[in-house]
Amino acid sequence: MTRRDALKTMGAMVATAALATTGLSSFAATVQNEKTEKAKKRLVFYFTATGNSFYVARAFSAEPISIPQALKEGKLEYEADEIGIVFPDYAASAPLMVREFVEKAKLKAPYIFSVITFGNFAANVSDWWDDFCRQKGVTNQYINTLLMVDNYLPVFDMNEQVKIDKHIPENLAQIVADVEARREFISHVDSDDRMKGWLKRLQDDHFPMEAERLLVLNAEACIACGTCAQVCPHGNFTMGDVAEFNGACEYCLACVHACPQKALALHRERNPQARFRNENVSLMDIKRANNQHK
């Protein structure tokens, strides 16, 4: 065989191999595209102050959507195969910004689920949320609660709370499995008439509070770092020589927990030296979720 013939034969072999490889690649790409088309589109929205609900939201989506940022952007029409809402239990109901989101947003999905984080007593928050959403035209197929660290400083000592094993990973895993299976379920807590009356008053009275009435600033400790402004979902803080605040307050306590100098406090706290952030969540995560400043 001449050198020319040998090169032609080698070229043919390379071309055949290339075609085979291309065919395999095309086949693999087709399979991948089919998988992508069949994959469920899931959108998950969350509200967080110390990271608990963000941690939970990430168990359902790699890129959950901040409710404060969604409201800030103003584009509130969403359609998906599954839509999830994750938020903390505030006075046996939902934070005001979460209520506002459900009131304003148009959510279209055959499967809508909600996970409500709480730290002590969930009460009838699932039933309340189910009723509230239905009144706003949103039907949940699944609502469940998840016991986590309670970050309410007037009642709980954070140093003691973090010592309690609340079986968060295994309980969260069960909720994730429920959602993956598209289980239909609304958690329910029985309560007597007196308890129902007390809860209704608590839920109805959860109104905007004034930041200047709730918060106390130690001006000597404040270094005007701006952390409080960056974690406030309402944008209540401005920075001068020290932090200045006013306006409607969600009472989420993100600013108090995040202040690196403990310069912000409440009038009454169980342990003024103890603060909390979910160990799986960074301060930057909370800033990205809540920052209202341009």
Side-chain angles (χ1 to χ4, degrees), residues 43-65:
L43 297 176
V44 179
F45 301 89
Y46 71 95
F47 178 89
T48 197
T50 57
N52 282 338
S53 291
F54 178 60
Y55 166 71
V56 173
R58 277 199 303 202
F60 296 96
S61 171
E63 297 181 354
I65 301 167

Side-chain angles (χ1 to χ4, degrees), residues 33-46:
N33 288 337
E34 289 177 354
K35 287 182 178 179
T36 301
E37 289 175 2
K38 292 179 181 178
K40 295 189 294 290
K41 181 182 178 183
R42 177 187 292 168
L43 297 176
V44 179
F45 301 89
Y46 71 95

